Amino acid sequence: MIRSRIAGTGRAVPAQIMTNADLSKMVDTSDAWIVERTGIRQRHILEPSRAASDLAADAGRAACARAGVDPSTVDCIIVGTVTGDCPFPATATFVQKKLGAAPNGCAFDLSAACAGFLYGVSIADAFIRTGQFKRVLVVGVEVLSRIIDWTDRATCVLFGDAAGAVLMTASDGPSGLLSTHLFADGAQAEILWQPVGGSREPLTPEAVAAKRHFVQMNGREVYKHAVRNMAAGARIALDANGLTPDDVTWVIAHQANIRILEGVSERVNIPMERFFTNVDRYGNTSSASVPTALDEAVEQGKFKPGDILLFAALGGGLAWASGVARW
Ligand code: ACO
């Protein structure tokens, strides 16, 4: 049976670090409040001269190099992002060019916020299993620092910039992706969104003055849905493969907030020691968080052949996803 496998991972993180102490000079907050409520200690911020596609290309190049694949031989580039270079064309097309891969293969973006990377992995898996494509690069990239209101302490302390990527290929061995599950609940679309800048409310001086071009969030509602739905998605993923929580070696879940991860840990009955976490150093990097964590875990030699990895993520939409892979 042909399945897809992750042949290489990569990440790109901006050099500039913003600590909680830096933030406490900008808004009425403190390191103690941020650490207690979120577990975040610092985040990385992209320099003004660079865009999402620069970070995404760096992460994609690293994933291809680790897989031993020339980027110009990639059949498809999928970029999950809500902070792309511009409304159109797709950021993936800029990435293709920056990787020296244009005009080979196809390139497109997908919008599923923090679940964007896992949505991309699921689509790549389907392409590979049907035989349509052999090599698919999936990137999660966000430059959330550009759409955050830096005077709003309720949101600005949460997010950071980064990109992570995987190069997926076909596998006929035991390792690879065992399943993915995708979910959405559009009834909750307005609890986490960027209202202005599209066809519904175009960018106007009035909208900018009202700060409606920045991220708007009902934090408490998002928190509840995140814990409940990521845990439910994770359980569905395990059941679909006849696995129990004890079978899971590592959980690579969306790094929104340490308390959300602890809530998921409790609900799925997998101890926090088996959750790989890096939210303390990166903050919430939305679609970049799962591939960035995955790449760090690979770099640290956390996985051995046969390990079972459980993935879960939720973000604006609401959109959420889960998956299981055998390493
Ligand atoms: N520093 C200090 N005080 C703050 C800050 C801050 N940065 N932000 C809010 N407060 C204050 C509030 O004003 C409020 O004060 P009040 O009681 O005087 O009114 C108090 O802290 C409590 O505010 P709450 O919003 O009720 O705090 P809560 O415990 O819910 O924590 C948080 C807020 C951390 C945002 C939480 O709701 C959360 O984690 N939500 C999930 C949001 C999230 O992760 N979003 C990311 C995108 S979605 C995703 O990735 C899953």
Side-chain angles (χ1 to χ4, degrees):
M1 179 182 133
I2 296 284
R3 57 167 59 107
S4 69
R5 64 182 272 271
I6 293 169
T9 63
R11 70 179 186 282
V13 180
Q16 190 196 332
I17 290 175
M18 183 184 284
T19 64
N20 292 349
D22 295 330
L23 272 167
S24 66
K25 292 179 199 133
M26 297 159 58
V27 289
D28 182 14
T29 190
S30 66
D31 178 57
W33 192 96
I34 300 170
V35 171
E36 191 199 320
R37 303 287 173 123
T38 71
I40 299 167
R41 294 180 185 275
Q42 63 172 51
R43 68 287 293 141
H44 292 252
I45 306 294
L46 189 63
E47 55 268 42
S49 60
R50 301 188 84 215
S53 63
D54 295 306
L55 269 185
D58 287 350
R61 201 175 292 110
C64 289
R66 197 173 255 141
V69 163
D70 178 340
S72 69
T73 66
V74 168
D75 302 308
C76 174
I77 299 173
I78 304 173
V79 174
T81 189
V82 295
T83 51
D85 286 20
C86 43
F88 79 89
T91 296
T93 59
F94 296 116
V95 173
Q96 185 202 40
K97 181 177 169 217
K98 287 174 181 173
L99 287 176
N104 303 330
C106 68
F108 64 91
D109 290 358
L110 69 85
S111 177
C114 308
F117 173 75
L118 289 184
Y119 265 60
V121 164
S122 182
I123 293 166
D125 177 58
F127 277 145
I128 289 168
R129 280 190 292 107
T130 60
Q132 184 167 354
F133 295 134
K134 289 192 165 49
R135 294 168 168 184
V136 183
L137 180 65
V138 183
V139 187
V141 60
E142 302 296 356
V143 190
L144 291 158
S145 61
R146 307 261 162 93
I147 63 164
I148 287 166
D149 177 359
W150 285 102
T151 66
D152 174 18
R153 68 178 183 173
T155 52
C156 75
V157 302
L158 302 175
F159 300 103
D161 302 335
V166 293
L167 193 280
M168 293 176 62
T169 58
S171 157
D172 52 10
S175 71
L177 208 58
L178 303 184
S179 69
T180 56
H181 289 85
L182 307 182
F183 313 90
D185 178 6
Q188 310 300 332
E190 292 167 15
I191 65 171
L192 175 58
W193 65 323
Q194 185 187 10
V196 155
S199 59
R200 177 163 158 171
E201 276 190 67
L203 200 61
T204 59
E206 294 74 27
V208 170
K211 298 185 171 185
R212 287 178 59 73
H213 58 310
F214 291 131
V215 172
Q216 320 272 317
M217 180 182 77
N218 180 334
R220 291 215 161 163
E221 280 302 303
V222 171
Y223 186 96
K224 279 192 298 193
H225 286 283
V227 173
R228 189 189 308 139
N229 293 334
M230 279 208 279
R235 278 197 300 266
I236 288 169
L238 292 180
D239 289 350
N241 293 286
L243 296 170
T244 69
D246 288 344
D247 296 319
V248 176
T249 326
W250 284 104
V251 181
I252 310 286
H254 172 44
Q255 309 283 308
N257 171 324
I258 200 72
R259 289 192 305 154
I260 290 177
L261 292 173
E262 287 165 355
V264 174
S265 158
E266 205 170 295
R267 283 185 179 228
V268 294
N269 209 14
I270 300 176
M272 276 304 281
E273 299 81 70
R274 285 192 267 143
F275 279 63
F276 185 86
T277 62
N278 63 12
V279 66
D280 56 328
R281 287 172 291 119
Y282 294 118
N284 181 345
T285 60
S286 188
S287 68
S289 90
V290 170
T292 304
L294 184 66
D295 184 54
E296 282 205 326
V298 169
E299 201 173 75
Q300 293 171 22
K302 298 283 187 197
F303 308 148
K304 55 185 189 317
D307 279 357
I308 295 292
L309 310 189
L310 173 63
F311 299 99
L314 173 139
L318 294 176
W320 65 102
S322 61
V324 178
R326 186 183 294 112
W327 197 250

